[in-house]
């Protein structure tokens, strides 16, 4: 029916697309965030494959993980503590950098094409997580080109 395509795309692994679509999908277990729940991966690339720059950004994301993860952890803690003060998170939940991972379930890892920043050279990687307090909303870590923490998103 539709021309299904699969490729191996390091560092993610196997990605799938079909027909004339330029989006590539797969799953990626990043043990830095979960030992059992993979991210659903969505990459906005080209019909034949994701862009080489997207592969480079994902490799940068892994290489720079300690640096951006520290900045993201501090921002997520501040966001969740504010939500706790607004009584959106139970008061008895002890939020700390050491236990933050147990409250964040990987959901989606998305890699943009060049359209997000609109300058023709920078890509956005967004790592989305669900919290146990409200599964209708999530937190996204935004990384510019995979190596620079560029704030949080919420929905």
């Amino acid at each position: 029916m539709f021309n299904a395509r699969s490729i191996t795309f390091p560092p993610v692994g196997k990605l799938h697309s079909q027909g004339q679509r330029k989006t590539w999908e797969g799953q990626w277990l990043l043990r830095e965030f979960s030992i059992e729940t993979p991210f659903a991966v969505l990459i906005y690339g080209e019909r034949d494959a994701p862009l080489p720059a997207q592969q480079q950004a994902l490799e940068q994301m892994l290489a720079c993980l300690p640096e951006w993860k520290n900045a993201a952890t501090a921002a997520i803690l501040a966001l969740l503590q504010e939500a706790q003060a607004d009584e959106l998170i139970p008061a008895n939940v002890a939020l700390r950098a050491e236990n933050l991972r147990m409250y964040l379930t990987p959901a989606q890892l998305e890699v943009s094409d060049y359209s997000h920043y609109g300058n023709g050279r920078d890509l956005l990687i967004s790592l989305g997580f669900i919290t146990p307090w409200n599964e209708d909303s999530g937190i996204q870590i935004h990384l510019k080109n995979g190596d620079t923490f560029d704030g949080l998103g919420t929905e």
Side-chain angles (χ1 to χ4, degrees):
M1 189 157 162
F2 290 105
N3 180 24
R5 301 180 314 277
S6 295
I7 62 169
T8 299
F9 185 73
V12 177
K14 193 165 274 284
L15 295 176
H16 308 280
S17 187
Q18 59 181 213
Q20 297 299 313
R21 291 178 49 206
K22 295 180 179 181
T23 54
W24 292 85
E25 300 176 17
Q27 292 199 354
W28 191 11
L29 182 64
L30 286 169
R31 296 194 183 279
E32 292 82 358
F33 298 102
S34 175
I35 58 171
E36 55 192 38
T37 306
F39 284 96
V41 174
L42 181 61
I43 300 175
Y44 296 95
E46 294 295 328
R47 185 194 175 288
D48 294 329
L51 301 167
Q54 292 169 318
Q55 183 175 13
Q56 292 168 351
L58 288 165
E59 289 169 350
Q60 266 310 103
M61 180 191 82
L62 292 177
C64 298
L65 194 139
E67 294 85 15
W68 64 257
K69 189 175 178 186
N70 288 338
T73 297
I76 291 170
L77 280 172
L79 177 73
L80 293 178
Q81 287 165 347
E82 183 179 315
Q84 197 169 35
D86 292 339
E87 299 182 2
L88 300 173
I89 297 174
N92 64 343
V93 174
L95 296 167
R96 296 183 312 280
E98 301 79 34
N99 70 356
L100 185 60
R101 187 167 115 173
M102 67 187 268
Y103 296 115
L104 301 175
T105 301
Q108 183 158 320
L109 187 152
E110 191 171 311
V111 183
S112 75
D113 55 15
Y114 294 116
S115 65
H116 178 80
Y117 291 105
N119 61 16
R121 69 179 181 276
D122 293 315
L123 300 169
L124 172 71
I125 295 178
S126 177
L127 292 97
F129 299 88
I130 300 297
T131 65
W133 308 289
N134 186 351
E135 291 193 13
D136 292 336
S137 63
I139 298 171
Q140 299 90 34
I141 298 171
H142 292 173
L143 302 173
K144 186 175 186 177
N145 297 320
D147 60 2
T148 304
F149 175 65
D150 198 25
L152 299 177
T154 59
E155 57 180 60

